[in-house]
C-alpha cells in the first residue's frame, strides 16, 4: 500500500513538473489589440520570467516600451506598460500556445489573444 502511494505521488509530481515546463511565458508573443476607439494595433510582447517576476518589452506602432511591475503566479500574470505618459495595466492567463490578455484603457477593459511566435529564435 505504501509503495503504491509513493509511486503515485512521484508520478504526479513528475507530471506537474512537465506541465510547468511546457507552458512557459518566456519568448515572443504577437497579436492585434482593438482599442476602445476602434483602431487595431499590431502588438509584439517579448516576455522573460525569473521566478515570479516578469520583464521584457512591448512593441506597437507607437514604439517599444518596457514592461513594468510584471508578476507571474502559476498561469496568471500581470504587468504595466507606459505609452506617452499613460499607464496601461495588463492581466493575462497563459495557455499552452496562447494568452488571454485584458488591457485596462482607463474606462474600458479590452480583451485580446496573443499567440506564441514560433518563427522567432
Amino acid at each position: 500500500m505504501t509503495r503504491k502511494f509513493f509511486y503515485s505521488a512521484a508520478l504526479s509530481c513528475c507530471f506537474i513538473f512537465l506541465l510547468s515546463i511546457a507552458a512557459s511565458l518566456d519568448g515572443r508573443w504577437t497579436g492585434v489589440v482593438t482599442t476602445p476607439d476602434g483602431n487595431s494595433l499590431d502588438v509584439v510582447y517579448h516576455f522573460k520570467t525569473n521566478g515570479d517576476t516578469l520583464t521584457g518589452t512591448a512593441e506597437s506602432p507607437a514604439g517599444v516600451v518596457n514592461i513594468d511591475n510584471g508578476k507571474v503566479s502559476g498561469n496568471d500574470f500581470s504587468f504595466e506598460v507606459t505609452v506617452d505618459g499613460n499607464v496601461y495595466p495588463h492581466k493575462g492567463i497563459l495557455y499552452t500556445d496562447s494568452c488571454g490578455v485584458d488591457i485596462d484603457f482607463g474606462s474600458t477593459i479590452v480583451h485580446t489573444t496573443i499567440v506564441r511566435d514560433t518563427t522567432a529564435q
Side-chain angles (χ1 to χ4, degrees):
M1 177 72 171
T2 303
R3 184 177 285 179
K4 278 186 176 182
F5 176 76
F6 174 75
Y7 288 135
S8 296
L11 184 60
S12 295
C13 288
C14 289
F15 181 71
I16 291 170
F17 175 74
L18 290 174
L19 280 178
S20 68
I21 290 173
S24 171
L25 194 56
D26 291 346
R28 185 175 193 263
W29 298 80
T30 62
V32 176
V33 173
T34 303
T35 62
D37 60 2
N39 291 319
S40 293
L41 304 173
D42 291 328
V43 293
V44 178
Y45 296 96
H46 298 270
F47 293 138
K48 177 68 177 151
T49 58
N50 185 3
D52 63 352
T53 302
L54 175 63
T55 59
T57 59
E59 298 176 38
S60 74
V64 179
V65 295
N66 288 325
I67 290 173
D68 299 316
N69 302 315
K71 295 179 180 30
V72 178
S73 177
N75 286 345
D76 297 330
F77 61 95
S78 63
F79 61 93
E80 298 174 341
V81 296
T82 303
V83 179
D84 296 330
N86 298 308
V87 177
Y88 298 100
H90 291 55
K91 291 185 180 180
I93 298 175
L94 170 65
Y95 301 103
T96 304
D97 59 354
S98 67
C99 295
V101 181
D102 292 328
I103 305 170
D104 186 348
F105 281 90
S107 61
T108 305
I109 305 289
V110 172
H111 181 80
T112 192
T113 300
I114 57 175
V115 295
R116 187 180 302 278
D117 185 350
T118 57
T119 62
Q121 294 298 325

